C-alpha cells in the first residue's frame, strides 16, 4: 500500500499541477477584468511544447542535462512527501534534510541550464536566481526544522505534520507568517518573480531553451508551485487528518486550491520588485524564521 | 495598511467584471468616418488616373490594353488607407468603405481590377500614346519637363496680395554658373 | 500518438514573438492593444513571449529595412518549427509607402516566408484579431479579388493583351 502511495503522489502532482496553474492564470485574468484562457490551457501549452523542434543552441552536455535534472529532482521530492497524511515507503527512509537538498538541486539545475546557455540575458537571470535561492531556501529549511524541533524527530512525516504531532503554538504562528510572506517567492509570482518568469523585463534563465526542454522546465516549475502550496496546507492547516486516505487527499487538494487562489490574488495586485528591494525583504523573512525556530527551541 | 489596501484593490476590480469583447464571434462595426479599404464605382470612373498619380504608395496602376480599354489595378498590399485617391477623384467614384477585415494569406486577394471604356478623340483617335498614360507623362509632351533646371531653381514666395516688387526680384534671378560661386 | 496530440494542441496555444523590423511603432501599439483586457487575445491561448526560441508565431511589423534584414532572418531561424509568420500592417505586407526607397527591402516577404497578411495602417485591433482567428480557422476569409467592368469586350483584345502581359512589370509585382 505504501508503494502504491508513491505512484499516487507522483501521478497526482504531475497531472494536477497544470490545472492549478490554469486556475491561477484565470484568476489573474479576472482580476484584470478580462476573460482569460481556459483552465486547461497549460495542458495545451505543454503538449504543444512537446511537439516542437528541439534546438540545441549551446551544444554542450550541460544544456541537455539541465531540464532532465530539474524534472528528476522535483519528481523525487514529490514521490517522497507524505501526501494525504500517509508516509509512503520511500518517505519512511528519508528525513527533512533530503527534501531541502533535492529542492536545492532543482534550483541548481536551472542555474546550470542558464549558465550553459552562453547568453548574457540568461546569465543575468541566473545571477538573480542564485540570489533568490540563497535568500529564500533558508525559510523552507527552517519550516521543516521547526517541525523537527517540536516533534523531536527529523523524519519526514513528523517534520511535515508538526501541528498534528505537537499542536499549534506561538512559534508555529510566527513561522506561518514568515512562510506566507515567502510563499510568493517560492512559487515565483509577483512581487517576487524576479528570476524565473521575468520574460517581460529581461529574458529569464530559460531564454535559449525550446520545445520539449522548455516544456520540462515548465512542468518543473508548475510542480514546484504545487509542492510549496501543498506544504503550506500540510504544515500549518490541520485538515486532511482523517483516517481515510482518499478523503485526506481530497481535502489537501482543496486546501492547495485555496492557497493557489490566494497566490493568484496577491500576484495580480502587486508589482514586481527589483532584486535589491527583494533581498531586503528576504533578509527580514530569514530573521523572522530564525526567531520562530528560536521560540520553538525555547519551548514556546 | 498595506493588506487592507490590497484587499480593497481586489474588491474594486470585481466591479467592472469582464470587459472583453467577444469580437470574432460577434460582429463589431467600425465607427463612422472610418477609412477602410477603398472601393471603385466603375459606373462613375472616367479613367483620368488621378488616383494613381496621388497614391503615396503607388499602389494603383493604370494601363491601356488598347485604344478603348483602360485597366486600373488597385493592388492593396501597400495601401495605407490614407484616402487621397477618394479625395482627389473628380467624379467621386472612389469611396473609402469601412471594411477593415482584410486579413488574408494571399496578397492577390486584396485587389480591385477595373476595366474602363475610353472614348476616342474625334480627330485622331486617342490623343496620347498608349505608353504615356499618366498625367506627369502627358505634361512632358506639352512643355513642362521635370528635368528643367531653370524651372527648378526659381524659389517661389507666397504672399497674401500681389506685390509687383517681388515679381521684379524673380526676373533678375540668375542661376549659379558653377559650384562654389 | 503524441505527435497527434501535439498537433491538435498547436492551434490552441500559440506563443507569439513580436519582431519590429523598422516600423513606426503604430502597428506595435496595435499589437499591444490586442493584449489588453478589451480585446483580450489570451482567451485563444496566445501569450506574448520575449524570446524567439519559445515562440510559434512571429508577428512582423514594419517594412524590413536594410539593417534589420539579417536580424529578422536570424530571429526566424531561431524559432523552432512548426512556425508561422504574420505580417502586420501595410509595411510588412508590401513595404507600405516606402517600398522602393533606398533603405527598405520591401516588406516581410523579402526576409521570411509570410503566412498571413493583415493590411492596414495601422490595422485595427479587430483586424489583427480577425487575422489571428483566420489562421486558427475560426472565421472565413472575407477579402476576395474584385473585378469590375464597364463594358464586355470582344475576345481578341484580351488575346493581344496576353502578349503584352508577358513583358509587363506591373503584374509581376502582384503575383510574386
Amino acid at each position: 500500500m505504501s508503494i502504491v502511495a508513491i505512484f499516487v503522489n507522483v501521478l497526482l502532482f504531475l497531472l494536477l499541477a497544470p490545472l492549478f496553474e490554469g486556475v491561477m492564470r484565470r484568476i489573474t485574468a479576472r482580476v484584470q477584468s478580462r476573460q482569460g484562457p481556459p483552465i486547461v490551457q497549460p495542458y495545451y501549452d505543454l503538449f504543444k511544447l512537446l511537439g516542437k523542434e528541439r534546438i540545441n543552441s549551446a551544444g554542450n552536455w550541460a544544456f541537455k542535462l539541465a531540464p532532465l535534472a530539474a524534472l528528476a529532482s522535483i519528481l523525487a521530492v514529490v514521490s517522497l512527501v507524505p501526501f494525504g497524511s500517509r508516509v509512503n515507503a520511500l518517505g519512511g527512509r528519508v528525513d527533512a534534510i533530503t527534501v531541502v537538498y533535492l529542492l536545492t538541486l532543482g534550483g541548481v539545475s536551472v542555474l546550470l541550464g542558464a549558465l550553459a546557455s552562453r547568453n548574457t540575458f540568461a546569465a543575468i537571470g541566473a545571477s538573480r536566481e542564485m540570489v533568490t535561492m540563497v535568500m529564500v531556501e533558508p525559510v523552507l529549511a527552517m519550516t521543516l526544522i521547526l517541525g523537527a524541533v517540536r516533534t523531536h524527530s527529523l523524519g519526514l512525516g513528523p517534520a511535515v505534520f508538526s501541528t498534528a504531532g505537537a499542536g499549534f503554538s506561538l512559534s508555529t504562528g510566527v513561522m506561518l507568517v514568515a512562510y506566507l510572506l515567502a510563499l510568493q517567492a517560492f512559487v515565483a509570482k509577483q512581487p517576487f518573480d524576479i528570476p524565473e518568469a521575468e520574460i517581460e523585463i529581461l529574458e529569464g534563465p530559460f531564454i535559449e531553451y525550446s520545445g520539449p526542454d522548455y516544456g520540462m522546465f515548465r512542468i518543473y516549475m508548475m510542480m514546484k508551485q504545487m509542492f510549496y502550496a501543498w506544504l503550506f496546507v500540510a504544515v500549518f492547516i490541520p485538515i486532511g487528518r482523517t483516517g481515510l486516505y482518499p478523503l485526506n487527499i481530497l481535502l489537501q487538494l482543496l486546501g492547495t486550491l485555496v492557497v493557489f487562489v490566494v497566490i493568484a490574488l496577491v500576484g495580480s495586485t502587486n508589482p514586481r520588485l527589483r532584486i535589491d528591494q527583494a533581498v531586503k525583504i528576504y533578509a527580514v523573512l530569514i530573521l523572522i524564521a530564525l526567531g520562530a525556530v528560536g521560540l520553538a527551541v525555547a519551548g514556546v | 495598511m498595506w493588506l487592507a489596501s490590497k484587499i480593497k484593490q481586489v474588491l474594486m476590480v470585481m466591479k467592472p467584471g469582464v470587459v472583453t469583447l467577444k469580437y470574432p464571434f460577434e460582429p463589431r462595426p467600425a465607427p463612422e468616418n472610418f477609412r477602410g479599404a477603398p472601393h471603385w464605382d466603375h459606373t462613375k470612373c472616367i479613367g483620368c488616373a488621378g488616383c494613381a498619380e496621388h497614391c503615396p504608395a503607388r499602389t494603383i496602376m493604370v494601363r491601356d490594353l488598347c485604344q478603348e480599354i483602360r485597366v486600373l489595378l488597385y493592388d492593396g498590399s501597400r495601401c495605407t488607407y490614407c484616402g487621397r485617391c477618394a479625395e482627389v477623384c473628380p467624379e467621386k467614384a472612389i469611396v473609402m468603405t469601412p471594411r477593415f477585415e482584410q486579413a488574408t494569406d494571399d496578397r492577390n486577394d486584396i485587389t480591385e481590377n477595373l476595366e474602363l471604356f475610353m472614348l476616342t478623340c474625334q480627330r485622331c483617335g486617342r490623343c496620347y500614346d498608349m505608353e504615356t498614360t499618366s498625367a506627369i507623362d502627358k505634361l512632358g509632351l506639352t512643355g513642362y519637363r521635370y528635368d528643367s533646371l531653370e524651372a527648378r531653381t526659381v524659389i517661389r514666395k507666397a504672399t497674401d496680395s500681389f506685390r509687383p516688387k517681388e515679381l521684379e526680384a524673380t526676373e533678375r534671378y540668375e542661376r549659379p554658373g558653377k559650384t562654389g560661386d | 500518438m503524441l505527435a497527434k496530440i501535439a498537433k491538435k494542441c498547436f492551434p490552441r496555444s500559440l506563443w507569439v514573438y513580436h519582431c519590429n523590423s523598422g516600423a513606426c511603432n503604430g502597428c506595435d501599439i496595435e499589437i499591444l492593444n490586442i493584449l489588453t483586457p478589451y480585446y483580450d487575445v489570451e482567451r485563444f491561448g496566445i501569450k506574448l513571449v520575449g524570446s524567439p526560441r519559445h515562440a510559434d508565431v512571429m508577428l512582423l511589423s514594419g517594412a524590413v529595412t536594410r539593417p534589420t534584414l539579417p536580424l529578422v532572418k536570424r530571429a526566424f531561424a531561431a524559432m523552432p518549427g512548426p512556425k508561422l509568420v504574420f505580417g502586420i500592417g501595410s509595411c510588412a505586407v508590401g513595404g507600405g509607402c516606402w517600398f522602393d526607397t533606398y533603405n527598405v527591402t520591401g516588406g516581410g516577404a523579402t526576409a521570411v516566408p509570410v503566412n498571413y497578411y493583415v493590411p492596414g495602417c495601422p490595422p485595427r485591433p479587430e483586424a489583427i484579431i480577425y487575422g489571428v482567428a483566420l489562421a486558427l480557422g475560426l472565421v472565413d476569409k472575407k477579402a476576395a479579388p474584385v473585378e469590375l467592368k464597364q463594358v464586355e469586350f470582344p475576345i481578341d483584345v484580351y488575346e493581344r493583351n496576353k502578349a503584352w502581359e508577358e513583358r509587363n512589370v506591373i503584374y509581376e509585382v502582384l503575383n510574386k
Side-chain angles (χ1 to χ4, degrees):
Chain A
M1 191 55 197
S2 331
I3 303 207
V4 172
I6 303 177
F7 289 107
V8 168
N9 269 4
V10 172
L11 274 176
L12 276 179
F13 266 84
L14 205 51
L15 294 177
L16 289 180
L19 189 71
F20 286 128
E21 162 99 7
V23 166
M24 216 162 53
R25 272 174 81 170
R26 186 98 167 167
I27 292 181
T28 310
R30 287 298 155 113
V31 167
Q32 294 172 352
S33 299
R34 55 188 175 90
Q35 193 182 333
I39 297 188
V40 295
Q41 182 64 35
Y43 291 105
Y44 296 142
D45 288 344
L46 287 172
F47 279 117
K48 176 211 73 166
L49 282 171
L50 287 178
K52 301 263 296 180
E53 181 191 344
R54 166 188 261 149
I55 296 183
N56 189 354
S57 61
N60 45 14
W61 60 269
F63 189 81
K64 287 187 259 202
L65 178 68
L68 299 168
L71 193 58
S73 77
I74 197 70
L75 280 176
V77 168
V78 156
S79 60
L80 295 175
V81 289
F83 194 47
S85 307
R86 176 190 284 272
V87 179
N88 55 20
L90 286 177
R93 296 165 195 267
V94 301
D95 54 14
I97 312 275
T98 319
V99 169
V100 177
Y101 164 74
L102 284 172
L103 285 169
T104 314
L105 180 64
V108 164
S109 55
V110 167
L111 286 178
L112 183 70
L115 291 171
S117 296
R118 296 195 302 183
N119 186 331
T120 324
F121 289 122
I124 298 182
S127 81
R128 294 183 184 189
E129 165 89 14
M130 265 191 266
V131 167
T132 307
M133 226 171 65
V134 161
M135 303 290 289
V136 137
E137 296 286 338
V139 178
L140 168 75
M142 281 185 261
T143 311
L144 292 174
I145 290 179
L146 179 79
V149 162
R150 298 198 53 236
T151 55
H152 298 289
S153 134
L154 210 53
L156 195 54
V160 169
F161 297 112
S162 62
T163 53
F168 219 83
S169 77
L170 184 61
S171 57
T172 317
V174 174
M175 200 66 199
L176 192 152
V177 169
Y179 191 90
L180 207 52
L181 292 173
L183 184 60
Q184 293 293 112
F186 287 135
V187 302
K189 290 288 288 179
Q190 283 93 338
F192 295 120
D193 70 340
I194 302 149
E196 275 134 355
E198 199 185 13
I199 305 192
E200 292 95 19
I201 299 187
L202 287 178
E203 318 301 334
F206 307 131
I207 176 177
E208 291 279 344
Y209 281 99
S210 56
D213 294 334
Y214 190 57
M216 278 195 264
F217 271 125
R218 296 286 307 170
I219 188 90
Y220 156 72
M221 292 182 51
M222 290 184 210
M223 284 172 64
K224 195 165 76 128
Q225 277 176 343
M226 189 173 160
F227 168 73
Y228 278 110
W230 171 81
L231 193 66
F232 180 77
V233 170
V235 173
F236 296 112
I237 302 182
I239 61 171
R241 303 290 165 79
T242 65
L244 218 54
Y245 183 46
L247 191 60
N248 281 349
I249 292 187
L250 200 60
L251 286 171
Q252 286 192 338
L253 283 176
L254 284 174
T256 318
L257 187 66
V258 169
V259 173
F260 263 104
V261 168
V262 169
I263 294 176
L265 286 176
V266 171
S268 53
T269 51
N270 274 322
R272 176 185 293 145
L273 292 178
R274 284 198 319 261
I275 187 73
D276 50 339
Q277 294 167 334
V279 159
K280 292 188 189 122
I281 298 189
Y282 294 153
V284 167
L285 287 177
I286 293 184
L287 289 177
I288 298 180
L290 271 175
V293 172
L295 282 175
V297 166
V300 176
Chain B
M1 242 205 37
W2 168 81
L3 192 63
S5 78
K6 289 296 172 190
I7 295 182
K8 205 165 71 158
Q9 182 176 355
V10 171
L11 291 174
M12 221 161 59
V13 298
M14 304 287 198
K15 193 167 76 97
V18 171
V19 298
T20 311
L21 299 173
K22 303 193 188 3
Y23 166 60
F25 311 116
E26 279 177 10
R28 183 162 155 83
E32 270 187 50
N33 300 334
F34 181 75
R35 277 202 312 265
H39 180 67
W40 273 255
D41 184 356
H42 61 279
T43 55
K44 291 192 193 148
C45 178
I46 58 172
C48 68
C51 52
E53 269 324 295
H54 287 262
C55 179
R58 268 168 288 153
T59 200
I60 304 178
M61 287 163 273
V62 176
R63 194 163 76 71
D64 286 343
L65 286 191
C66 71
Q67 191 86 318
E68 286 90 10
I69 307 179
R70 170 167 286 182
V71 171
L72 195 94
L73 176 64
Y74 160 73
D75 158 23
S77 67
R78 302 192 290 272
C79 175
T80 55
Y81 308 102
C82 64
R84 264 195 212 174
C85 48
E87 213 177 301
V88 145
C89 180
E91 303 294 314
K92 303 274 176 288
I94 307 179
V95 85
M96 301 302 281
T97 62
R99 255 186 4 220
F100 56 88
E101 291 162 337
Q102 304 269 85
T104 170
D105 52 352
D106 180 9
R107 274 183 292 185
N108 283 338
D109 281 339
I110 20 185
T111 61
E112 277 201 19
N113 196 359
L114 250 74
E115 279 188 22
L116 306 158
F117 177 65
M118 308 295 282
L119 287 176
T120 55
C121 159
Q122 305 273 337
R123 241 168 44 157
C124 62
R126 286 264 286 286
C127 253
Y128 38 85
D129 201 357
M130 259 161 85
E131 300 293 311
T132 57
T133 55
S134 66
I136 283 272
D137 292 321
K138 284 202 305 261
L139 284 171
L141 296 173
T142 54
Y144 173 86
R145 290 169 53 85
Y146 54 81
D147 57 349
S148 154
L149 297 174
E150 281 86 354
R152 279 203 300 193
T153 51
V154 171
I155 304 156
R156 290 178 228 291
K157 277 205 270 200
T159 56
D160 47 356
S161 60
F162 176 68
R163 288 185 220 157
K165 287 178 71 109
E166 305 248 2
L167 188 60
E168 282 163 22
T170 60
E171 303 218 326
R172 276 179 272 122
Y173 184 85
E174 266 183 347
R175 272 182 58 218
K178 280 197 176 1
T179 52
D181 267 5
Chain C
M1 204 213 41
L2 200 58
K4 263 195 344 176
I5 299 184
K7 211 161 116 161
K8 236 170 46 107
C9 288
F10 185 73
R12 287 180 187 262
S13 132
L14 287 178
W15 285 2
V16 162
Y17 171 67
H18 166 234
C19 183
N20 174 343
S21 64
C24 67
N25 296 337
C27 298
D28 305 336
I29 295 179
E30 300 297 331
I31 289 177
L32 237 50
N33 276 349
I34 60 174
L35 297 162
T36 51
Y38 202 49
Y39 297 110
D40 187 23
V41 83
E42 196 171 347
R43 57 198 156 114
F44 299 123
I46 295 178
K47 193 166 89 140
L48 190 70
V49 289
S51 161
R53 296 217 188 262
H54 302 165
D56 307 310
V57 172
M58 179 152 91
L59 288 181
L60 186 62
S61 71
V64 176
T65 57
R66 272 196 307 165
T68 58
L69 178 68
L71 304 176
V72 168
K73 284 190 170 154
R74 265 179 75 178
F76 182 70
M79 284 169 63
K83 50 191 168 184
L84 293 173
V85 177
F86 286 23
I88 307 277
S90 299
C91 290
V93 171
C97 309
W98 301 281
F99 68 105
D100 59 351
T101 56
Y102 61 93
N103 200 27
V104 165
T105 56
T110 57
V112 291
V114 180
N115 296 96
Y116 284 94
Y117 297 97
V118 183
C121 188
R124 283 193 93 199
E126 283 96 339
I128 305 180
I129 296 183
Y130 182 80
V132 164
L134 184 69
L136 294 176
L138 299 172
V139 290
D140 298 321
K141 203 153 68 161
K142 277 197 197 153
V146 175
E147 276 212 25
L148 305 161
K149 291 189 198 216
Q150 280 187 343
V151 191
E152 271 296 332
F153 287 99
I155 294 290
D156 64 333
V157 171
Y158 297 105
E159 313 249 293
R160 267 193 286 148
N161 179 37
K162 283 265 179 288
W164 206 90
E165 228 178 80
E166 309 296 302
R167 314 187 302 259
N168 191 348
V169 175
I170 293 177
Y171 280 67
E172 235 179 70
V173 167
L174 191 58
N175 295 334
K176 221 185 276 204

